[in-house]
Amino acid sequence: MPGADGAAELRVDGPAEPAWLDEVHDGLARLWEAAPEVPDLDRLRFETAVIEIATNVVRHTVPVGDGPVRASVLLRADRGRLEAELTDDGAPVRVDLDPGPVDDFAESGRGIALVLRAVDSLSLAREGDRNTWRLARDASA
Amino acid sequence: MELTTDRSEGTAVLRVQGRLTMAAAGELKAAVDREVADGRTLVVVDLSGTAFLDSSGLGALVGGLRSARAAGGDLRIAGVGQQVRTVLELTTMDRVLRPYATVEEAVGAGR
């Protein structure tokens, strides 16, 4: 799995369903095995952000034609830089990447704010016929 | 997620084993509501075996807190690990769901 340049990279594809989220969790565990130098603080924050976005894909993306939506996550750790690209072939999604604060007792609406605090950058674009999320975090060490 | 419950007079301790994420949030919320409806309005959620929390799981804890408070009780969390603490801190919800070190401390903290 470690690339020729020392980067660790792997991909997890599947239908955008809860079982895929389990596979993404497993994929992250494999990434850390291949990149043991990543500090705990960065690992936990990146992992939290990736799962949050993957869950958003499973929960909110609707298929264009006959289901299910196909999703893919590419995970990469390269000399302290952590990157994830999540894409899916669902209908275009619109997500507010600058959400306002939610009430302390609200039961939802914290996901994107959590991601924004856990990583250095987050973007969502429609590229061709795929929704494309990109996340990156530079390790603090 | 695996959920086990210890009940005593007025108190329920719910132990969450595994991941408290989208797939498990509804089950936890329903379990809290059931305990509160049965009069166990001090609910302690033991997260010492919880490997991962996401915003859906956090939402379930907040929902449970609302149910317990509405019945004159409280919901407290105990034994949080590093990842759970990360989510609480990044969302600043550790102000609202203050983590107790142990279940015993959470139960004993008064009402």
Side-chain angles (χ1 to χ4, degrees):
Chain A
M1 183 173 14
D5 58 355
E9 190 176 284
L10 63 94
R11 183 182 288 281
V12 183
D13 296 333
E17 293 166 356
W20 176 66
L21 296 176
D22 290 334
E23 290 176 25
V24 177
H25 274 285
D26 294 344
L28 285 158
R30 293 203 307 279
L31 183 72
W32 309 134
E33 281 169 21
E37 72 282 3
V38 177
D40 279 356
L41 179 128
D42 300 291
R43 187 172 54 79
L44 290 170
R45 290 183 177 213
F46 183 72
E47 189 157 344
T48 297
V50 169
I51 293 297
E52 204 65 48
I53 296 299
T55 302
N56 192 294
V57 170
V58 169
R59 181 174 262 180
H60 297 298
T61 309
V62 299
V64 172
D66 293 337
V69 173
R70 301 285 307 181
S72 175
V73 59
L74 178 68
L75 303 169
R76 186 175 165 87
D78 183 6
R79 284 177 292 256
R81 182 167 175 84
L82 303 172
E83 293 174 334
E85 183 183 274
L86 294 95
T87 69
D88 65 75
D89 65 1
V93 290
R94 279 170 175 266
V95 177
D96 183 359
L97 297 188
D98 186 19
V102 298
D103 183 86
D104 279 350
F105 291 92
E107 294 178 40
S108 63
R110 294 188 182 86
I112 294 296
L114 171 58
V115 173
L116 289 168
R117 292 190 185 113
V119 293
D120 298 320
S121 65
L122 168 69
S123 67
L124 167 62
R126 186 75 178 174
E127 295 187 358
D129 56 0
R130 299 185 75 84
N131 298 306
T132 303
W133 297 84
R134 288 196 179 84
L135 298 79
R137 177 175 175 92
D138 286 306
S140 46
Chain B
M1 179 195 69
E2 213 176 295
L3 196 60
T4 51
T5 308
D6 282 330
R7 300 181 177 92
S8 54
E9 182 65 40
T11 301
V13 177
L14 273 59
R15 180 171 165 73
V16 176
Q17 196 76 31
R19 295 181 191 132
L20 179 46
T21 54
M22 181 185 75
E27 186 186 342
L28 176 66
K29 176 63 169 48
V32 172
D33 286 352
R34 207 160 45 234
E35 298 304 323
V36 170
D38 286 349
R40 287 176 286 274
T41 58
L42 177 57
V43 178
V44 176
V45 182
D46 180 359
L47 296 173
S48 58
T50 306
F52 196 91
L53 176 73
D54 73 356
S55 66
S56 312
L58 178 59
L61 291 170
V62 172
L65 176 66
R66 276 170 61 163
S67 303
R69 293 250 175 106
D74 201 7
L75 179 144
R76 297 169 185 165
I77 58 174
V80 308
Q82 244 189 326
Q83 193 274 339
V84 174
R85 190 172 292 276
T86 297
V87 170
L88 291 170
E89 288 176 358
L90 291 177
T91 56
T92 70
M93 286 301 285
D94 47 348
R95 294 170 296 111
V96 178
L97 286 162
R98 191 164 65 82
Y100 289 82
T102 64
V103 167
E104 292 69 29
E105 266 186 46
V107 172
R111 308 203 67 155

